[in-house]
Amino acid sequence: MSLDIWITYVATVLLLMSTPGPSQLLMLSNSATNGLRRGLFTAAGDLTANFLQMLAAGLGLAALIATSATALTVIKWFGVTYLVYLGVKQILKARMSEAQTAPRASRKSLWMQGFITSAANPKAVVFFAALFPLFIDAALPFWPQFAILSSTYLVMDGMFLTAYGGSASWLARRLQGPAKLWLDRIGGSFMILAAILLGLKSLRPSA
């Protein structure tokens, strides 16, 4: 893969990541509530799902998944329901008095939240299957190019998620009392907003 093609790919991915989606909103919420270190487990879950989606695209499973509208719908609405549940739970937890200390989410739970949120967007497999061929030279071996594109995307996504999480964690450390409770409520609202965004994502391009 030539350097100019790789740079074009990086620029394309930057444009695609310029607006926050469900995973970024979840990262904001979890990092604000649990701190950046624990929030990174949410990012790890998201990136794990992305890797599996890329692998599925690379193995040619995208076409099979795209033809199963029922499976896509079930996966998507499971993720939407899960995010709404998490958001409502966090908003209710914010009602606790300042004298009570709400337990932080476990690392496993944070990882699972990130994984499910990303995996609940089954169109991502189709997206990767459509994106990668634009930058792959058919005259060169496929898998080395695929590895470069996949690793570049994961590194960039990880950097974006860390930046979101770091900003949310920094703000949370400087808020106390009622302001902190409102931050928790906003975090829960972010989760619900993430669910709405995920629900609005069309599973198939319009004709």
Side-chain angles (χ1 to χ4, degrees):
M1 176 179 292
S2 64
L3 180 60
D4 58 333
I5 291 179
W6 181 80
I7 291 176
T8 303
Y9 172 73
V10 170
T12 302
V13 174
L14 281 174
L15 290 175
L16 293 172
M17 293 183 177
S18 60
T19 55
S23 294
Q24 289 74 25
L25 293 175
L26 180 67
M27 185 67 181
L28 282 170
S29 175
N30 283 348
S31 297
T33 305
N34 300 277
L36 177 60
R37 287 188 178 181
R38 283 181 177 261
L40 289 176
F41 284 87
T42 298
D46 173 77
L47 297 177
T48 301
N50 281 164
F51 172 75
L52 294 177
Q53 290 161 336
M54 291 174 185
L55 186 60
L59 293 174
L61 297 179
L64 177 62
I65 295 175
T67 60
S68 179
T70 301
L72 291 175
T73 301
V74 170
I75 293 172
K76 186 185 80 164
W77 289 108
F78 171 76
V80 170
T81 303
Y82 181 69
L83 283 178
V84 170
Y85 163 76
L86 291 176
V88 172
K89 182 179 178 181
Q90 182 163 324
I91 291 174
L92 293 176
K93 187 172 66 176
R95 292 183 177 182
M96 299 175 64
S97 65
E98 295 181 36
Q100 294 175 306
T101 302
R104 294 189 297 175
S106 68
R107 295 178 176 86
K108 180 179 179 180
S109 173
L110 294 171
W111 183 91
M112 187 61 68
Q113 291 176 27
F115 181 86
I116 291 178
T117 300
S118 183
N121 179 18
K123 195 178 178 182
V125 181
V126 183
F127 165 76
F128 289 125
L131 175 67
F132 286 178
L134 299 176
F135 303 93
I136 289 179
D137 187 344
L140 299 175
F142 171 79
W143 287 108
Q145 297 180 84
F146 175 82
I148 292 173
L149 295 176
S150 298
S151 58
T152 299
Y153 187 95
L154 292 174
V155 169
M156 293 177 66
D157 195 15
M159 292 173 64
F160 266 83
L161 291 172
T162 301
Y164 278 110
S167 300
S169 179
W170 178 86
L171 180 62
R173 288 196 304 269
R174 282 153 180 79
L175 296 178
Q176 301 295 331
K180 180 63 168 63
L181 295 179
W182 274 107
L183 184 63
D184 290 340
R185 294 187 180 100
I186 292 173
S189 300
F190 274 158
M191 288 190 187
I192 296 175
L193 178 58
I196 294 174
L197 292 177
L198 188 58
L200 291 176
K201 283 180 177 289
S202 58
L203 290 174
R204 292 182 181 276
S206 55

